[in-house]
Amino acid sequence: MTTAEIVKTSLALDGGAPVRSADDPLPTPRPRIISPEAAGMVREVLDSGFTLDLTSDFETAVAEASGAKYGVAVANCTAAIHSVIGGLGYGPGDEVIVSAISDYGSVAGVVMQGAKAVFADVDVRTGLVTAETIEEVITPRTRAIIAVHFYGLMCDMDPIVELARRHDILVVEDVCQAMLAGYKGRVAGGVGDIGCFSFDAGKLLPTDNGGMAISDDADVIAAIRKFAVDRGADDLGPLGREHNGIGFNYRFGDMESAVGLAQLKILPDQLKRRVELAERFTAKISDIEGVITPRVPEGQVHLHWLYPLQFDLEQFRVDASQMGEALSAEGLNCSPAMYYLIPHSHKFLPDREADVERLVNARTHLERTVRWGFTEKYTERDIDDMATIVAKVTDAYRR
Ligand SMILES: *Cc1c(COP(=O)(O)O)cnc(C)c1O
């Protein structure tokens, strides 16, 4: 199809022919590609009668791959962050800065422990917090910052770590969407003090459900493990256990660890393919008027767990949600992104209306963005069709 023909084609939303019809759909992230070794390794755990400790192996493997010394695997990332906050003893009177754009799991544990979640605004182009936006909300009560590597791109960590050192604040990286993403030769989760992961079925490394906290600091890992796995107890050897603090059983299973170890073997190739495909797509849409492509800073790798497609809305007759409907009708299923503004969608938070007002960049970014789960299963033809869809819809709605 030439551009001239595209302009004349009516949108699928208005009854025209879609670029990709329902009998020739674009691939979706699920069903996930499972490593051929996964089933055999799960079988080994079962055959051992639960005597194989694959969880320790998985902790070591993820920590090493991410550039940290130790890991503690837990039930999911919501539990990992809860255990960081609880294990390190942050609570009433303490403030924890959290990226304004994220998932419930980044904030639940902060609220649960009675600390105050303080939201930092973002860079309007990337949707990520920066040292500048964090500095605006630091107070004498700030104990930690949870920097979220959203969409698959890492926050600019060097200035963030430098700022945190000056204020004696702990840096927690939320790595859920960016496992093995690169930053100036280092790896996501291994740059700050602690990295927290999700191995949910939809995330880059799926084990069905799971999470982890990694760190170079053995004392930090021991404190998290006591809260997350040992149920607040110290092991007294033959005397049993002494429960001297509140803790939970967020233990991660050996069968899931088996899947995780197997998936870890195929992940680097999957990520490489994902990056190639995302770069091809970005290049194809980069000269479409009014489309703002994801910015990948020098020295970083963007994994595009989600592809964020932004529009300069002044150039169009419709909002992002209408764009999303039209793109979906053409076969590129996507959704508006506003859900990810935490104070907007998390109705239990105090001060949420004032926060939504204050977080101007986060709001602007999300109001002009649609996103979808990008997959390494796309072919070149799929990428080209996705670019055609973006061109067709933006042409139809351009002012
Ligand atoms: C998925 C996700 C979480 C929560 O992870 P769970 O394993 O589902 O608890 C937290 N933060 C971000 C950025 C996520 O994408």
Side-chain angles (χ1 to χ4, degrees):
M1 239 187 247
T2 67
T3 314
E5 281 167 327
I6 291 164
V7 178
K8 277 184 250 142
T9 313
S10 66
L11 292 177
L13 198 60
D14 302 325
V19 175
R20 290 292 286 261
S21 64
D23 40 305
D24 181 25
L26 288 167
T28 49
R30 290 194 218 198
R32 303 304 303 276
I33 297 169
I34 301 299
S35 163
E37 291 182 44
M41 291 178 72
V42 171
R43 179 88 233 173
E44 277 179 42
V45 175
L46 294 174
D47 287 346
S48 81
F50 296 117
T51 58
L52 270 189
D53 178 14
L54 291 190
T55 301
S56 297
D57 293 353
F58 185 54
E59 289 171 341
T60 306
V62 171
E64 265 177 17
S66 309
K69 286 198 190 127
Y70 314 105
V72 50
V74 294
N76 48 62
C77 186
T78 309
I81 292 178
H82 182 205
S83 302
V84 168
I85 302 298
L88 299 184
Y90 303 137
D94 295 330
E95 293 179 1
V96 176
I97 299 172
V98 184
S99 296
I101 295 181
S102 194
D103 171 276
Y104 171 84
S106 303
V107 77
V110 177
V111 176
M112 182 69 196
Q113 291 306 110
K116 182 167 193 250
V118 176
F119 297 100
D121 208 353
V122 298
D123 174 89
V124 72
R125 178 80 181 266
T126 62
L128 306 178
V129 289
T130 66
E132 290 75 36
T133 65
I134 292 166
E135 190 157 24
E136 282 167 11
V137 289
I138 289 181
T139 76
R141 291 175 299 283
T142 308
R143 295 289 167 265
I145 156 80
I146 299 173
V148 180
H149 304 324
F150 211 73
Y151 301 121
L153 179 69
M154 283 177 68
C155 306
D156 189 7
M157 289 305 291
D158 280 344
I160 292 176
V161 171
E162 195 267 325
L163 173 74
R165 294 287 174 265
R166 258 193 288 131
H167 291 268
D168 197 18
I169 297 170
L170 186 91
V171 179
V172 181
E173 295 174 67
D174 179 333
V175 192
C176 292
Q177 304 188 3
M179 182 169 181
L180 301 190
Y183 176 87
K184 302 183 183 175
R186 284 163 287 157
V187 183
V191 181
D193 297 298
I194 299 174
C196 290
F197 295 73
S198 171
F199 310 118
D200 175 84
K203 295 288 161 73
L204 291 165
L205 186 131
T207 63
D208 188 7
N209 189 34
M212 195 181 294
I214 64 168
S215 179
D216 277 341
D217 187 327
D219 294 339
V220 162
I221 289 293
I224 296 170
R225 191 181 293 282
K226 180 173 173 181
F227 184 90
V229 185
D230 297 338
R231 295 163 289 177
D234 286 326
D235 190 348
L236 302 182
L239 296 176
R241 281 190 297 253
E242 180 182 277
H243 291 268
N244 46 35
I246 193 78
F248 292 84
N249 178 3
Y250 282 155
R251 200 180 69 82
F252 185 68
D254 288 305
M255 288 197 287
E256 291 153 317
S257 295
V259 177
L261 285 164
Q263 291 302 113
L264 199 51
K265 294 191 185 172
I266 64 168
L267 184 60
D269 282 344
Q270 289 182 313
L271 296 181
K272 189 161 162 276
R273 179 69 182 149
R274 173 182 275 282
V275 170
E276 280 166 15
L277 290 164
E279 281 173 359
R280 181 184 174 101
F281 179 62
T282 298
K284 288 210 161 254
I285 61 170
S286 61
D287 48 11
I288 299 176
E289 272 298 302
V291 167
I292 305 167
T293 53
R295 191 173 75 86
V296 185
E298 182 77 19
Q300 288 191 235
V301 178
H302 191 326
L303 299 177
H304 292 92
W305 180 71
L306 294 173
Y307 195 99
L309 186 65
Q310 301 179 61
F311 304 101
D312 174 4
L313 291 175
E314 296 198 342
Q315 300 195 37
F316 299 102
R317 291 182 282 112
V318 299
D319 62 12
S321 129
Q322 174 80 18
M323 283 283 191
E325 276 180 43
L327 293 163
S328 299
E330 300 297 338
L332 177 56
N333 270 310
C334 58
S335 326
M338 194 44 96
Y339 164 79
Y340 292 116
L341 184 60
I342 299 187
H344 167 75
S345 49
H346 293 58
K347 309 286 183 195
F348 62 86
L349 291 170
D351 313 325
R352 45 181 293 271
E353 277 163 27
D355 279 344
V356 171
E357 265 312 291
R358 173 175 64 82
L359 298 163
V360 177
N361 285 352
R363 223 173 50 225
T364 305
H365 172 88
L366 293 172
E367 269 167 5
R368 69 186 197 190
T369 300
V370 298
R371 40 82 193 195
W372 65 94
F374 201 84
T375 171
E376 62 281 346
K377 286 186 258 172
Y378 293 133
T379 62
E380 272 79 14
R381 169 180 166 252
D382 295 330
I383 294 294
D384 295 352
D385 282 350
M386 283 160 56
T388 302
I389 290 172
V390 176
K392 179 179 174 183
V393 169
T394 49
D395 277 352
Y397 285 143
R398 191 164 286 111
R399 276 187 203 279

